[in-house]
Amino acid sequence: MNKKYLSVLIFAVILIMAGCNVMNPDYPQPVPGEVGTDSKNDTGQALPIPALLEDTNSEAGRAEYTLRVQTGTTRFIGNLSTPTLGYNGSYLGPAIKLNKGDEVRMHVINELGDTTSVHWHGLEVEGTADGGPHQVIATGETWSPTFTVNQPAATLWFHPHVIGTTAIQVYYGLAGLLLIEDENSRALGLPDEYGINDIPLILQDRSFNQDGSFLYVTNMMDGAFGDYILVNGAITPYLDVSQVKMRFRVVNGANARNFNLRLADRSTFYQIASDGGLLEAPVLTESLFVSPGERAEIILDFSSYKEGEILELISDNALVMTFRVGGAAVDETSIPDRLAEIERIDERLALGTKTIELDGMGHMVTLNGRKFDMQRIDDDVTLGDIEVWEITTVGAMMMGSPGHPFHIHGTQFQILSRDGAAPAANEQGWKDTVFVRANETVRIIVRFNYEGVFMYHCHILEHEEAGMMGQLEVKNSFNN
Ligand code: C2O
Ligand code: CU
Ligand code: CU
């Protein structure tokens, strides 16, 4: 690279960084949680638990749910009220629990005063029910997709997916949980009492203006980052736990931030599930990495702690939340050695290899060298086809970016390799989002079982919005 080009580049970077500061005027002095601070002080909020949404269809095997997309205000800091968005409430949304085999009808009523859509992230359904950018719901309208749940027990989630406003609508609060149970998940004896020993943790980060309103700053390098960590909509909350095993369904619902979770005392825990369901066997670990869009289920065993002890869950050096250990209690749950059977997709059945190149930063992002175009179908796929996708982040414009979380709609895939090496045990289950590190090549194998148009993209929402997205169309070859 010649000197002139280099200095222009450096100048551009300085401009970009200066731009961020301009967009970030007199910042309130936030008090992000710090590891080792007195977590017993009463300023922290108790962890809110999203309510389970009521199924309004009493027939067996059928379920019907109503979501209202609303505006509202929420208190995060002191008495300040923050204008927010939510489903059936002011921030985030309820948890919808589905059973495998259920015939489901959803009603999404858009009361936002703006267009939105609701995408069921991780759900295997036809394109018309997926809730992507082609299923926009105009303000005042109701969208009522139907589908049959036909995939194993898993922690999925839902969020908007409209062109141009996905990132800001999610930042303002639009995200909810979609939980699937099946015969296997119910028979294992795992902690599965929702809100009691089975607790969702929706991880996000947010910044605030002095008046309490959200400060949405798009850091040009990587997307929108916040100064505060929120769990289920509360800033670094606490949860009171008994001396029992607790299951946590971790959802990275942040726009751009990766979480690298561990307990401050370095205790181990089990990971039992990835994006698309239970792993074959529990994986004992000291840390859990989740990039935007990814989920994982973990089990922490509090039986070796004493009453009154405080445990901190941290991400790198930031406090995420605390667990306040209470008394002993009867624990009839278990963590079986075998959790699920996962049929490996045979690589020899793959019809070809597709290359996905994720390149760039800030607004200068591309997928395979181009930006998303709603009018363009990037790939055609025949229903039932199996493909290998080779996803790379090689590119000159990766400065400062740790990588891209790559997501495909309407399917669950398996990771074949990372830079030629077999994936870690906790990445050998079903996935719909995989973090591809800078200068890494990840090979996945995927089967398309539903017809329609589906998105694939980087789940850093600012990258997605800037065009790091493509769309494929799955067609039944007998129909056309
Ligand atoms: Cu979580 Cu395209 O979405
Ligand atoms: Cu999705
Ligand atoms: Cu990205």
Side-chain angles (χ1 to χ4, degrees):
M1 187 185 304
N2 71 39
K3 266 201 190 143
K4 189 173 160 217
Y5 181 61
L6 188 67
S7 57
V8 166
L9 189 66
I10 289 170
F11 185 58
V13 169
I14 289 169
L15 269 186
I16 286 168
M17 303 192 62
C20 294
N21 289 333
V22 172
M23 290 163 69
N24 187 2
D26 78 300
Y27 225 57
Q29 285 317 301
V31 199
E34 253 169 56
V35 181
T37 50
D38 181 10
S39 334
K40 264 179 269 184
N41 70 32
D42 294 320
T43 55
Q45 255 183 279
L47 177 77
I49 311 280
L52 271 185
L53 189 60
E54 193 199 340
D55 169 9
T56 55
N57 190 326
S58 53
E59 285 170 74
R62 287 175 189 272
E64 199 155 341
Y65 294 94
T66 303
L67 290 174
R68 286 173 186 277
V69 198
Q70 306 172 330
T71 60
T73 56
T74 307
R75 277 188 188 177
F76 297 98
I77 302 175
N79 286 325
L80 295 173
S81 75
T82 306
T84 50
L85 304 179
Y87 297 108
N88 302 356
S90 70
Y91 190 78
L92 294 177
I96 299 176
K97 203 174 212 182
L98 305 174
N99 297 301
K100 186 175 177 184
D102 279 356
E103 281 177 49
V104 182
R105 179 180 290 272
M106 298 283 190
H107 301 282
V108 183
I109 306 169
N110 180 5
E111 297 173 352
L112 270 194
D114 191 7
T115 53
T116 192
S117 80
V118 175
H119 164 56
W120 321 106
H121 179 130
L123 193 67
E124 296 173 61
V125 290
E126 308 223 313
T128 50
D130 176 73
H134 294 283
Q135 285 86 44
V136 162
I137 315 167
T139 182
E141 299 286 289
T142 300
W143 179 56
S144 300
T146 56
F147 54 84
T148 301
V149 181
N150 187 23
Q151 68 192 93
T155 300
L156 315 179
W157 65 304
F158 55 91
H159 61 76
H161 218 301
V162 266
I163 299 297
T165 48
T166 296
I168 194 97
Q169 288 189 1
V170 172
Y171 196 86
Y172 270 71
L174 292 182
L177 295 158
L178 197 63
L179 313 176
I180 300 177
E181 298 289 352
D182 63 12
E183 252 167 58
N184 176 47
S185 69
R186 280 187 292 260
L188 289 171
L190 292 166
D192 63 358
E193 284 178 80
Y194 182 82
I196 310 283
N197 60 11
D198 180 353
I199 311 268
L201 302 178
I202 304 171
L203 307 181
Q204 300 176 310
D205 57 334
R206 296 290 182 267
S207 285
F208 297 88
N209 291 304
Q210 208 101 45
D211 62 0
S213 60
F214 278 136
L215 176 64
Y216 177 78
V217 181
T218 48
N219 177 324
M220 304 293 274
M221 307 290 264
D222 277 318
F225 285 83
D227 299 304
Y228 291 83
I229 293 178
L230 275 64
V231 188
N232 298 349
I235 294 171
T236 53
Y238 67 85
L239 177 68
D240 288 321
V241 296
S242 304
Q243 292 167 25
V244 296
K245 292 186 283 303
M246 298 279 289
R247 174 186 192 171
F248 296 99
R249 299 173 185 257
V250 177
V251 177
N252 185 336
N255 284 42
R257 181 181 295 275
N258 293 327
F259 286 89
N260 201 3
L261 301 172
R262 60 169 73 240
L263 290 159
D265 72 352
R266 304 215 155 224
S267 292
T268 54
F269 53 88
Y270 285 99
Q271 181 176 346
I272 58 164
S274 56
D275 301 333
L278 292 161
L279 299 170
E280 288 202 302
V283 175
L284 188 66
T285 183
E286 231 182 55
S287 66
L288 172 70
F289 175 86
V290 273
S291 64
E294 283 188 298
R295 287 89 59 214
E297 295 178 27
I298 58 175
I299 294 183
L300 308 192
D301 188 348
F302 295 102
S303 66
S304 56
Y305 292 91
K306 290 198 267 318
E307 186 161 358
E309 279 192 86
I310 306 264
L311 257 88
E312 293 178 330
L313 182 67
I314 62 176
S315 175
D316 297 320
N317 278 322
L319 181 65
V320 174
M321 64 177 293
T322 55
F323 301 105
R324 311 198 305 197
V325 182
V330 185
D331 186 354
E332 277 162 357
T333 69
S334 57
I335 310 175
D337 296 337
R338 282 307 278 182
L339 296 168
E341 294 302 326
I342 297 177
E343 168 231 357
R344 308 303 311 174
I345 308 177
D346 188 344
E347 203 178 329
R348 286 167 306 184
L349 300 177
L351 290 169
T353 300
K354 203 170 263 179
T355 307
I356 302 285
E357 263 186 40
L358 306 172
D359 197 4
M361 62 173 198
H363 292 287
M364 284 127 72
V365 286
T366 56
L367 193 156
N368 285 344
R370 51 193 192 182
K371 285 187 180 289
F372 180 70
D373 180 350
M374 187 86 164
Q375 312 307 325
R376 183 185 71 219
I377 296 291
D378 298 279
D379 311 274
D380 286 309
V381 179
T382 303
L383 186 68
D385 274 5
I386 295 172
E387 296 181 348
V388 170
W389 287 27
E390 213 168 87
I391 312 148
T392 60
T393 55
V394 285
M397 297 300 287
M398 284 292 294
M399 297 184 307
S401 164
H404 301 277
F406 183 75
H407 169 52
I408 310 179
H409 284 211
T411 187
Q412 292 286 335
F413 54 77
Q414 293 173 353
I415 301 177
L416 293 171
S417 64
R418 281 187 179 276
D419 273 346
N426 69 328
E427 288 200 317
Q428 292 185 16
W430 293 109
K431 296 283 293 168
D432 56 53
T433 307
V434 60
F435 191 71
V436 186
R437 295 181 194 92
N439 299 309
E440 187 182 37
T441 299
V442 175
R443 294 178 80 241
I444 63 171
I445 188 160
V446 57
R447 184 167 47 208
F448 295 94
N449 292 327
Y450 290 88
E451 286 179 71
V453 174
F454 298 98
M455 305 293 130
Y456 50 90
H457 58 89
C458 173
H459 218 287
I460 292 177
L461 298 180
E462 288 72 26
H463 285 182
E464 172 198 329
E465 214 139 78
M468 196 179 255
M469 176 154 76
Q471 51 186 342
L472 59 86
E473 183 165 13
V474 181
K475 289 183 193 167
N476 185 335
S477 56
F478 299 107
N479 290 347
N480 43 205

